[in-house]
Amino acid sequence: MHGPASPGWLLVALCALTGAYCLLRMRSAVPEQRRSAGGEALMGFGMAAMAVPATVFTPPSWAWPGYAAVFGAAGLRALWAARDRPHHLHHAVGAAAMVYMAAVMATAPGSAHHAHGGGVPLVTGPLLLYFTGYVLLSGVRLVPVAAAAGGGPGWGDRPELALACRLSMAIGMVAMLLTL
């Protein structure tokens, strides 16, 4: 992240806490929720690691291609799952965004961490539009779910909490793309 370290640490905390909650959601009795939660936990922790302020940690040169490989594999898995469960397309877009950001960081001249102005506007722009739209749509969808929430499933199986996780990661993605 550029500028003061405080926003970077807030983004790290948001993404890490979201990833931790997604790990807890993996204990669900519903197999599809477990699979989704695992991919979301990977995304949350990956975003947290990418958001660590550059003044604190500069990753080795092999880290960015490693990120690209991990999230490329996660994106392929999400695409495979999207054949019969279309909601996994969002996971594929998120993984593609992570691959793109890792590639930008890897090719940044003279910087091994958090490129400034290094993103390709033709790629960054549509990703920003997608995630901004996702944030707005998820926020609208979350209001009725939260208002109707009551008893029922365990805290790990609550759909409004899963939606809140996806919303917080999308907000984090918008923040990361804006600093690219």
Side-chain angles (χ1 to χ4, degrees), residues 47-125:
M47 288 173 63
M50 278 184 141
V52 172
T55 58
V56 175
F57 177 70
T58 302
S61 61
W62 55 264
W64 299 118
Y67 272 112
V70 167
F71 285 102
L76 290 174
R77 184 176 183 275
L79 279 175
W80 184 257
R83 292 173 304 123
D84 54 338
R85 295 176 304 273
H87 69 274
H88 282 281
L89 287 174
H90 172 70
H91 295 172
V93 172
M98 293 293 281
V99 169
Y100 167 67
M101 288 189 290
V104 169
M105 302 304 169
T107 60
S111 172
H113 194 62
H114 302 294
H116 185 64
V120 179
L122 292 174
V123 177
T124 305

Side-chain angles (χ1 to χ4, degrees), residues 140-160:
V140 169
R141 287 189 336 210
L142 188 60
V143 172
V145 171
W155 65 270
D157 290 329
R158 299 200 43 184
E160 71 274 11

